[in-house]
Amino acid sequence: KRMKKEENKKLCVFVENIEYESPDHFGYDIILGFKQAAYRDNWSVTVLPLTSEFQQQEKYDTFMLKNGYSGAFIMALALYDAWIPQLETTNIPTALLDSFIKKNPNISYIGTDNYEGIDLAVDHLTRLGHSKIAFLNGTLQCLISDERQEAYCNSMAHHNLPVSDSLIANSFFDPDSAKNYVATLLDAGATAIICGSDVIAYGVLAECQRKGVRVPEDFSVIGFDDLP
């Protein structure tokens, strides 16, 4: 009852492993939009970093109740995070970005259609004549990474293209990590690469430029997310 009082219109945004302070960061527009929508209805919003250590120290419901929050928006939970099982039974209204909880009516979810997005990318590259299409993904045990990798394998099979372990790599959602994989994928015969995020694609482009590989003349690169 205390949480539902008009004077306690407090929301919390938890952010895990996503940059959001600058306009070119993935989370910037999402948090800005959330704050603007909340402001129009006189809600106050607190943005907090979410770490594994914090989740071990604080139970989700207990933290929300003791701080007077009426609801939360959680960005980019990993599937192995400590709060995942707690969210299965929470009564606190919660929205998740790029994560999913089954059968709890208090939890909602927003995200992209990873399967259609990856299939569109594979379809586009095959129309350009590519058959050796590599996939450089983020870390697994994350909903979007798992779905995008599964979508890549499904779409390659749908287009009658072989899926080779030598053409799949798991990195981090970090441009600098791409340099560790581009040479290996090129050596495996890849003529195109689909990246699990635009941030990874940015790193691939930088590494191609460093190696003198021309994009798109010599090599095709597709990102995912439509970042600025």
Side-chain angles (χ1 to χ4, degrees):
K1 291 180 180 178
R2 184 174 69 251
M3 290 170 61
K4 293 182 179 179
K5 289 183 179 179
E6 186 69 21
E7 61 269 23
N8 289 340
K9 297 182 73 170
K10 293 173 59 181
L11 301 173
C12 189
V13 178
F14 295 100
V15 184
E16 183 174 25
N17 296 324
I18 289 179
E19 294 183 313
Y20 61 88
E21 294 87 356
S22 168
D24 60 340
H25 288 160
F26 173 79
Y28 181 84
D29 285 333
I30 299 171
I31 290 181
L32 178 62
F34 189 89
K35 284 183 173 181
Q36 289 173 337
Y39 178 79
R40 288 194 293 269
D41 200 31
N42 299 315
W43 289 84
S44 64
V45 176
T46 304
V47 181
L48 295 176
L50 186 61
T51 63
S52 297
E53 293 75 19
F54 182 82
Q55 293 180 62
Q56 296 291 340
Q57 295 166 5
E58 296 278 0
K59 300 294 185 184
Y60 178 66
D61 284 10
T62 303
F63 179 83
M64 295 292 288
L65 289 168
K66 74 180 181 182
N67 288 284
Y69 291 117
S70 297
F73 179 35
I74 307 179
M75 298 172 60
L77 273 176
L79 298 177
Y80 51 78
D81 277 343
W83 277 8
I84 289 288
Q86 298 174 39
L87 292 172
E88 293 174 358
T89 57
T90 186
N91 292 317
I92 295 170
T94 306
L96 305 179
L97 174 72
D98 288 335
S99 192
F100 180 70
I101 298 293
K102 291 181 179 179
K103 298 180 181 178
N104 185 342
N106 300 299
I107 302 286
S108 59
Y109 156 79
I110 57 172
T112 51
D113 188 333
N114 297 305
Y115 293 95
E116 183 178 12
I118 292 294
D119 191 53
L120 286 169
V122 174
D123 189 61
H124 177 69
L125 291 172
T126 56
R127 289 176 185 273
L128 292 177
H130 295 284
S131 58
K132 283 234 170 181
I133 301 170
F135 186 61
L136 180 54
N137 198 10
T139 50
L140 295 179
Q141 290 298 309
C142 166
L143 180 70
I144 58 171
S145 294
D146 290 358
E147 286 192 353
R148 289 173 190 177
Q149 192 147 318
E150 182 180 39
Y152 163 80
C153 294
N154 291 347
S155 185
M156 290 287 284
H158 175 74
H159 288 85
N160 297 313
L161 298 175
V163 176
S164 168
D165 289 342
S166 64
L167 292 176
I168 300 176
N170 291 99
S171 174
F172 299 95
F173 291 112
D174 175 358
D176 290 336
S177 64
K179 65 177 178 288
N180 300 320
Y181 301 93
V182 172
T184 303
L185 295 173
L186 286 170
D187 289 343
T191 61
I193 184 169
I194 298 171
C195 301
S197 76
D198 279 350
V199 174
I200 296 173
Y202 178 79
V204 170
L205 290 172
E207 185 64 10
C208 285
Q209 186 176 41
R210 192 182 73 81
K211 288 181 169 296
V213 177
R214 299 174 303 165
V215 178
E217 292 86 354
D218 303 325
F219 194 64
S220 292
V221 180
I222 290 183
F224 197 118
D225 281 332
D226 196 24
L227 295 187

